[in-house]
Amino acid sequence: MGKKKPRPRRSFTPEFKAEIAELCRRGDRSVGQVAKDFDLTETAVRDWVKQAEVDVGGRDGLTSSEREELAALRRENRRLREDVDILKRATAFFAKETR
C-alpha cells in the first residue's frame, strides 16, 4: 500500500475565509459540499465558520483581532524574557570578572 503524500500547507486571505464562511452560513450548501467544491478540508471550513460566528458576536471566544493581539503580546513577552536572561548572564559574567 502506498502512502499519500501530504498536501503542502496553503494559506488563505481573510477575505477568502469570510466568503467561504458566508457561503456556509447562508445554508445553500453544506460545509462538506463547500469544502469539496473549493478543494478544502472540512475541518478548515468548520473552523472558519466558527471564527466568523465569534467575530460577529454570535458565539463566545476570542475574535480575530484579539487573537492577533494575543499572539503579538506573546511574541513580545518571549523577546523580553530572552533580553532579561541575557542581562542576567552578562551581570554574572562581569561580577565574576571584577573579583
Side-chain angles (χ1 to χ4, degrees):
M1 279 199 266
K3 285 189 175 183
K4 283 176 75 175
K5 283 189 175 181
R7 180 192 292 200
R9 187 167 184 90
R10 300 181 293 174
S11 62
F12 302 97
T13 64
E15 294 80 18
F16 179 77
K17 292 177 183 181
E19 287 179 32
I20 295 296
E22 181 61 25
L23 282 173
C24 294
R25 192 189 63 76
R26 276 194 235 139
D28 299 341
R29 295 183 277 181
S30 68
V31 170
Q33 187 60 46
V34 171
K36 185 189 253 186
D37 291 347
F38 288 91
D39 190 31
L40 302 166
T41 63
E42 282 189 48
T43 305
V45 175
R46 286 184 202 286
D47 288 346
W48 297 347
V49 170
K50 285 179 191 174
Q51 189 60 51
E53 290 173 358
V54 169
D55 288 345
V56 297
R59 181 182 278 235
D60 287 341
L62 294 177
T63 64
S64 296
S65 61
E66 290 171 334
R67 285 182 183 277
E68 290 172 13
E69 181 182 11
L70 181 60
L73 289 171
R74 285 181 174 165
R75 278 192 302 272
E76 181 181 8
N77 194 1
R78 187 178 327 111
R79 186 186 56 79
L80 291 172
R81 286 180 189 271
E82 290 170 358
D83 290 351
V84 166
D85 187 45
I86 290 169
L87 290 172
K88 283 181 182 177
R89 288 185 203 168
T91 302
F93 174 78
F94 287 116
K96 190 169 91 174
E97 287 289 315
T98 57
R99 288 185 188 174

